[in-house]
Amino acid sequence: MNDLLAALLLGIIEGITEFLPISSTGHLLIAEHWLGARSDLFNIAIQAGAILAVALIYWKRLWGMLLAFLGRDAPAAYDPLGQTASPAQSRDYAFKLIAAFLVTAVGGLLVKKLGWRLPETVTPVAWALVIGAVWMVLAEQLAARRAAREGERTAITWTVALLVGAAQIAAGVFPGTSRSAATIFVALLAGTTNRAAATEFAFVVGIPTMFAATGYELLGTLKAGGGAGEDWSALAVAFVAAAITAFVAVKWLLHYIQRHRFTAFAVYRLLLGIALLLWLPAGA
């Protein structure tokens, strides 16, 4: 296959799967089996494209938090839920966002130093997909019961923020778990029973987390000479494709969860995990 076309397809796959709760790692395993493995720099670049798209979607939220820190009194619109927040609410949200990020940053560096990470090969990724599918169904059932008993809650508590930070570490240790799935369902179980609010916090906290992780990996890759011989045209095509498709995918998901549960994603994860176990060699 033409290299630019292969890069385009990989960028599209990354953009669609990075923020949907279905594991980008599992999909890229399949794609690279057929399209060929790519450099670390390439994989970092397409992830950066997906993160950029989410930052653009939530720019009002991010801008509102910045204004709140500067003492501005004008309410800043929450984006994309269409709600408004006072400066005090924006500051509170920002502090909890920072707390979740710090938990992930400190814990993630410790885990990396200790080498606590399963390999991104078929067997562990496939089992993470299968177990995660079961976890999603059970977690949403428990969250729905809690919402029926206590009412829907949109607030992000300190407990939710800290547990979301820990969930991001777990997703890094177990490739195939899906960072978005881990964080959304931890937030739902910890008390933010509104799906849209839980998803929004999971996505917003992913912006600094994934930018920091991407920057860290990028510096390490370039320092090791990873940029030598890179096909920059293919990388640029994949970056743009990932950004555009991630923008569309996240917008669609935020609309979808207003009326639907995550059950369809759980079923898809289960089928994908089984397919990986059956069709790809264990060492892929």
Side-chain angles (χ1 to χ4, degrees), residues 3-12 14 28 32 36-49 218 221 226-227 230-239 242:
D3 195 55
L4 287 180
L5 179 57
L8 174 65
L9 291 175
L10 288 169
I12 291 172
E14 166 66 20
L28 289 174
E32 291 189 350
R38 295 286 166 159
S39 68
D40 290 339
L41 181 59
F42 181 93
N43 292 328
I44 291 167
I46 60 176
Q47 185 180 59
L218 179 61
T221 300
E230 186 68 43
D231 185 342
W232 295 100
S233 296
L235 188 146
V237 167
F239 176 89

Side-chain angles (χ1 to χ4, degrees), residues 63-75 86-88 90-91:
W63 182 246
M65 287 188 282
L66 177 61
L67 290 179
F69 273 113
L70 296 176
R72 293 285 297 273
D73 293 332
S86 67
S90 289
R91 279 192 296 272

Side-chain angles (χ1 to χ4, degrees), residues 221-259:
T221 300
L222 292 177
K223 187 177 180 180
E230 186 68 43
D231 185 342
W232 295 100
S233 296
L235 188 146
V237 167
F239 176 89
V240 172
I244 293 172
T245 50
F247 189 93
V248 174
V250 171
K251 281 285 192 179
W252 173 83
L253 180 64
L254 293 172
H255 177 75
Y256 177 86
I257 60 174
Q258 300 282 350
R259 297 180 177 84

Side-chain angles (χ1 to χ4, degrees), residues 188-240:
L188 286 172
L189 287 173
T192 305
T193 55
N194 179 276
R195 286 193 300 274
T199 301
E200 182 186 68
F201 187 75
F203 284 178
V204 173
V205 79
I207 295 171
T209 301
M210 295 175 69
F211 267 133
T214 299
Y216 180 85
E217 295 293 341
L218 179 61
L219 288 174
T221 300
L222 292 177
K223 187 177 180 180
E230 186 68 43
D231 185 342
W232 295 100
S233 296
L235 188 146
V237 167
F239 176 89
V240 172

